Amino acid sequence: MNQEVVKQLLKEAIEENEELFLIELSFLADNKIYVEMDGDNGISLKECIRISRHIEHSLDREEEDFGLEVTSVDISKPLKVSRQYKKNIGRILKVKTVDSKGC
């Protein structure tokens, strides 16, 4: 799997909607691609499908088979990128800290 091609396709898809931003892009075993997205006002299923199709239709499954999952951010996961913090200004969030002992 050419990871640079996938990254470029994802970048192109995100640029079509300036409210969207990438949380995570992972290349997993067995040519599985995992994309986690968010948006300044959330992200719709329609946008996840659009991004998935943009990537999928530009790659040749006959040349190299792959799995692709494009998903919205899970509210129970920790915030990972600074834009998520900005998005949540004014909201009440539960914060868990970890001390130096890993507890």
Side-chain angles (χ1 to χ4, degrees):
M1 174 66 50
N2 188 332
Q3 295 181 5
E4 292 307 313
V5 170
V6 174
K7 289 176 185 178
Q8 180 60 36
L9 292 169
L10 179 57
K11 180 181 175 192
E12 291 169 4
I14 292 171
E15 286 174 348
E16 290 183 26
N17 184 342
E18 63 187 34
E19 288 191 4
L20 301 181
F21 54 95
L22 178 65
I23 301 298
E24 180 180 345
L25 170 62
S26 299
F27 297 94
L28 308 171
D30 299 327
N31 278 342
K32 293 187 185 198
I33 305 164
Y34 175 78
V35 179
E36 187 176 52
M37 300 290 305
D38 200 355
D40 295 328
N41 296 302
I43 182 168
S44 68
L45 177 60
K46 182 179 177 181
E47 282 296 303
C48 288
I49 292 169
R50 181 187 63 78
I51 292 166
S52 177
R53 286 183 179 159
H54 182 82
I55 295 170
E56 188 171 5
H57 291 162
S58 300
L59 299 175
D60 187 355
R61 282 191 189 272
E62 290 186 22
E63 185 178 303
E64 188 171 23
D65 196 24
F66 62 92
L68 174 62
E69 179 181 357
V70 177
T71 185
S72 60
V73 69
D74 183 347
I75 194 165
S76 66
K77 288 188 177 181
L79 303 180
K80 294 180 182 178
V81 299
S82 62
R83 201 157 162 186
Q84 287 178 291
Y85 289 91
K86 292 176 187 173
K87 169 186 170 176
N88 285 291
I89 290 175
R91 294 182 178 172
I92 297 174
L93 301 175
K94 184 176 181 181
V95 177
K96 292 182 182 179
T97 60
V98 179
D99 64 17
S100 61
K101 297 177 185 175
C103 298

